[in-house]
Amino acid sequence: MATYFVGDIQGCFDDLQHLLQQADFDPQQDQLWLTGDLVARGPKSLETLRFVKGLGTSAITILGNHDLHLLAIDAGLAKLNPKDKTQPIFDADDKDELLQWLRQQPLLAHHEAYNIIMVHAGISPQWTQQQAKQYAQEVNAQLRGDDYLALLTNMYGAQPDYWSEGLQGFDRLRFIINAFTRMRFCASDGQLEFHNKHSPATNSNTQHIPWYEVAGPHLDDAHVIFGHWAALEGECSHENATTLDTGCVWGNSLTMLRWEDKAVFSVPCPIYAT
């Protein structure tokens, strides 16, 4: 049995299939862990959802910002981005089944045997990994509950951008969601910054620090695998973190890591997003 971790698919279904063929992935024996953002800019978001759902326990996926946005669109709480190619999902006969399944997926997954935490964007530098697990469960409990529409209604926005254990209600849940699904740079004290999408190499603002370089307890124990930040191009400066979003939708590549031997598999991708 092999354990594979793959970066953001974003509807690049054919590229995912090529990657799995390259690695000889066997769903009867192997397990595929996906860093979220199954849907959005690529041409086959519907096929991607169906495939991952169909893998059953052979797939572990978490929610990314595009996945949450998809749920909000379906609920009539957000508008479809013209750049996203997700309309076929809303036209599909199995839409309700697919989105019900998506809504049950977590914000954080922990591979206990290998002590790996998988998140979409990262872990707030103000949190321990145990706290991150707890906070992820708070959001997932609300998202999976009968009142999930209230969460989808109130999840948008950039405030609060600094964590306090005293945060309550939707302010608290919004920060948790933003840290797990939108974070790239932070200030040195862990304050979230949402506008800077550059790579660390091209970042000119010295007050903006990659979340994984901010001093804190967030990378002290389990190894963290994340996606979301395509501009990193697979490069992460922290020894206890690995990034896997290599910008497939932007015409770069789709990347997958086999954990047991650290083999890296990659396929070049056409430009899907403009």
Side-chain angles (χ1 to χ4, degrees):
M1 175 180 175
T3 309
Y4 294 91
F5 292 86
V6 65
D8 304 26
I9 307 301
Q10 284 218 33
C12 300
F13 176 75
D14 292 342
D15 305 289
L16 174 63
Q17 296 306 307
H18 295 156
L19 192 62
L20 295 176
Q21 291 169 13
Q22 182 187 123
D24 292 325
F25 172 77
D26 181 356
Q28 301 302 315
Q29 302 182 43
D30 303 330
Q31 197 167 56
L32 181 65
W33 289 56
L34 302 101
T35 63
D37 277 2
L38 298 181
V39 305
R41 303 290 177 87
K44 294 185 178 181
S45 289
L46 173 60
E47 290 85 349
T48 301
L49 281 182
R50 285 173 172 166
F51 175 74
V52 176
K53 179 179 178 293
L55 286 175
T57 58
S58 295
I60 303 294
T61 189
I62 53 174
L63 293 168
N65 51 301
H66 285 291
D67 305 316
L68 288 169
H69 187 61
L70 185 76
L71 294 173
I73 295 169
D74 181 59
L77 301 171
K79 294 183 179 180
L80 179 67
N81 186 328
K83 296 181 179 180
D84 291 344
K85 301 177 179 68
T86 54
Q87 184 60 49
I89 296 173
F90 303 112
D91 297 334
D93 292 340
D94 56 347
K95 179 206 69 167
D96 291 344
E97 180 183 346
L98 290 170
L99 296 188
Q100 170 67 10
W101 167 82
L102 187 65
R103 187 163 63 87
Q104 306 307 308
Q105 304 314 305
L107 284 176
L108 177 154
H110 184 202
H111 193 300
E112 294 186 3
Y114 291 141
N115 198 25
I116 298 169
I117 286 176
M118 181 175 67
V119 289
H120 180 61
I123 296 175
S124 167
Q126 297 176 266
W127 299 341
T128 66
Q129 292 182 349
Q130 186 58 41
Q131 287 173 320
K133 293 179 185 179
Q134 172 190 330
Y135 302 148
Q137 289 173 358
E138 290 182 27
V139 171
N140 287 128
Q142 177 83 17
L143 188 61
R144 294 167 179 169
D146 293 338
D147 197 27
Y148 73 95
L149 292 178
L151 176 65
L152 296 178
T153 301
N154 290 279
M155 71 176 177
Y156 291 102
Q159 295 297 323
D161 58 7
Y162 190 80
W163 175 255
S164 166
E165 186 58 47
L167 286 175
Q168 298 181 356
F170 291 114
D171 283 347
R172 181 183 180 89
L173 299 177
R174 189 182 308 112
F175 182 96
I176 295 170
I177 289 172
N178 283 339
F180 280 126
T181 68
R182 295 180 59 203
M183 180 175 61
R184 292 183 180 91
F185 287 102
C186 297
S188 60
D189 62 357
Q191 181 182 26
L192 303 183
E193 203 294 318
F194 296 114
H195 301 293
N196 190 342
K197 298 183 180 181
H198 291 283
S199 71
T202 60
N203 172 46
S204 60
N205 191 327
T206 57
Q207 295 183 335
H208 295 170
I209 305 169
W211 67 267
Y212 49 81
E213 292 183 1
V214 178
H218 55 316
L219 293 170
D220 282 351
D221 186 14
H223 190 91
V224 174
I225 291 180
F226 67 101
H228 182 61
W229 199 347
L232 292 179
E233 297 181 349
E235 299 293 328
C236 177
S237 60
H238 199 289
E239 63 180 5
N240 212 26
T242 298
T243 181
L244 288 176
D245 182 3
T246 48
C248 183
V249 292
W250 306 105
N252 295 323
S253 62
L254 186 64
T255 298
M256 185 167 67
L257 168 67
R258 186 167 61 209
W259 186 255
E260 285 77 8
D261 60 0
K262 306 304 184 291
V264 176
F265 303 87
S266 180
V267 294
C269 303
I271 298 175
Y272 295 116
T274 56

